[in-house]
Amino acid sequence: MTHSAFPDGIAGPAPDQDRTSSDIDAACQVLASESDGLSRLAAALRATGSEGEMPALGTAFSRAVEAFSALAGRVVVTGIGKSGHVGRKIQSTLASTGTPSVFVHPSEASHGDLGMIQAGDAILALSNSGETPELADIVAHARRFGLPLTAMTARADSTLAQAADIALILPQAPEACPMGLAPTTSSTMQMALGDALAVVLLDRRSFTATDFGIFHPGGRLGIRLRRVDDLMHRGTAMPIGTPDITLRQVIMEMTHKAFGCMGVITPDGRLCGLITDGDLRRALDRDLERTLAADIMNTSPLTTRPDALAADALRLMNARTRPITSLFALDESGAPIGILHVHDLLRAGIA
């Protein structure tokens, strides 16, 4: 329910149409400015530097990717003010996409948190001006212990850029703030370049959706990334029979286990067929003692793997004209090790 900021019976002020239009125009101008900054950033990534200039952004970016992907330790992200807030987001994205990382606040670093930075780590320092005095102790610590230092700044001639092993120089772009003072376009470019680093490193590490799920077990995202292995029924809960059991025995097994199907396995344990409720109904006019499981089973059933995403299993169930309600999960040898029912997906909030 939406709650008004005004007492009951008192309407808020009617919007001034001219003022509203002006506000929207100003908001769109901000978005256009920041979009222009991102376009300049993409162009800078593709540009090549001239002899005697600082390395082109694309070259520096590639060097940073190589350095971070080869780390034995973590990427230590640092920054203060708006750059610090952006740095925290970049660090969080790195960590959740498979690049070990930690954020260290520059002021806290000067009062003991330098001990969080260890041999094998690399530092990513953010400062739009490159002249942030609070970063001095972290920069000195990096130099003292030979830790790779990457700077993300807008000034190639800044103290931070000159001290860094790798300098990610943001292109010049006007801030969206009408006074040109509040970090807006610059922080957007910092955030975007940090996202680019994280995603490229994700690709380098062959980070999969399953890996992503390990780091995101909570919330709606965690639900979407649950695996079949997390939800399936195992062992004696699985409805299983051999090809030579009778139709009566098939009915008893399916009734007892209540999955609406029964897997048929070979003597060495591999799944060779499936019998569903529909197969039973079509076979009810047959002799219950003479008809065997092999006579009515589907020899090409749909199956899944235990490490598959449960959401993918649901899509497989719904792929046919007539959706199916259960899937067997097979190991590498083709043996069933679990069964997943659509009700399991419903209970987990996936369906």
Side-chain angles (χ1 to χ4, degrees):
M1 177 182 295
T2 302
H3 297 279
S4 172
F6 299 93
D8 291 343
I10 300 178
D16 183 314
Q17 295 299 323
D18 291 338
R19 184 63 180 174
T20 297
S21 178
S22 176
D23 291 342
I24 297 300
D25 288 343
C28 288
Q29 183 57 50
V30 171
L31 298 179
S33 296
E34 297 196 353
S35 176
D36 176 64
L38 294 179
S39 295
R40 296 186 188 201
L41 182 61
L45 273 170
R46 294 188 178 279
T48 56
S50 301
E51 187 176 353
E53 294 182 352
M54 291 290 290
L57 179 57
T59 301
F61 182 87
S62 296
R63 290 177 60 201
V65 170
E66 292 292 344
F68 294 159
S69 63
L71 277 183
R74 305 157 303 170
V75 178
V76 178
V77 185
T78 189
I80 202 162
K82 301 299 187 294
S83 291
H85 294 308
V86 172
R88 287 184 184 275
K89 191 273 178 187
I90 292 173
Q91 181 273 317
S92 177
T93 302
L94 288 168
S96 69
T97 53
T99 299
S101 59
V102 63
F103 182 86
V104 175
H105 192 285
S107 297
E108 298 298 336
S110 299
H111 295 274
D113 279 4
L114 282 174
M116 298 171 63
I117 306 174
Q118 305 169 357
D121 291 344
I123 297 170
L124 173 61
L126 282 72
S127 170
N128 191 50
S129 69
E131 301 295 345
T132 306
E134 291 87 351
L135 291 174
D137 287 336
I138 287 183
V139 172
H141 186 78
R143 299 279 68 84
R144 184 177 303 121
F145 294 99
L147 303 177
L149 173 63
T150 297
M152 188 185 295
T153 177
R155 288 182 52 194
D157 60 348
S158 64
T159 301
L160 179 60
Q162 294 297 320
D165 301 294
I166 302 170
L168 300 172
I169 307 301
L170 302 173
Q172 294 299 310
E175 299 287 8
C177 164
M179 295 174 288
L181 299 175
T184 46
T185 304
S186 59
S187 56
T188 298
M189 289 193 293
Q190 285 180 329
M191 184 88 74
L193 191 58
D195 285 343
L197 269 173
V199 173
V200 172
L201 287 166
L202 173 155
D203 185 62
R204 280 288 191 97
R205 296 174 184 275
S206 300
F207 196 78
T208 66
T210 299
D211 298 321
F212 203 83
I214 292 172
F215 297 143
H216 298 76
R220 185 65 191 169
L221 181 58
I223 290 173
R224 286 177 53 202
L225 294 172
R226 295 189 73 178
R227 296 183 301 168
V228 169
D229 186 68
D230 299 325
L231 305 174
M232 69 186 190
H233 305 263
R234 309 167 186 268
T236 57
M238 293 188 296
I240 293 291
T242 56
D244 58 352
I245 66 172
T246 65
L247 187 54
R248 184 184 298 278
Q249 291 172 307
V250 170
I251 294 172
M252 293 177 61
E253 176 71 2
M254 290 177 59
T255 301
H256 179 62
K257 301 293 174 64
F259 280 95
C261 67
M262 187 194 83
V264 183
I265 58 172
T266 61
D268 60 358
R270 292 180 295 106
L271 188 74
C272 64
L274 183 76
I275 298 173
T276 66
D277 283 335
D279 296 320
L280 280 184
R281 287 193 296 273
R282 287 186 288 273
L284 285 180
D285 59 344
R286 299 195 183 191
D287 189 312
L288 297 184
E289 299 299 340
R290 294 178 179 271
T291 304
L292 304 181
D295 299 329
I296 64 169
M297 69 182 188
N298 171 13
T299 58
S300 301
L302 287 177
T303 61
T304 186
R305 294 289 299 274
D307 58 354
L309 292 177
D312 289 338
L314 177 62
R315 281 192 287 274
L316 190 59
M317 288 179 176
N318 291 328
R320 292 187 171 184
T321 304
R322 292 185 178 181
I324 59 177
T325 58
S326 294
L327 277 177
F328 275 97
L330 310 184
D331 64 14
E332 292 80 1
S333 70
I337 57 174
I339 185 170
L340 181 69
H341 194 277
V342 68
H343 289 168
D344 304 318
L345 300 170
L346 287 168
R347 282 190 291 268
I350 295 169

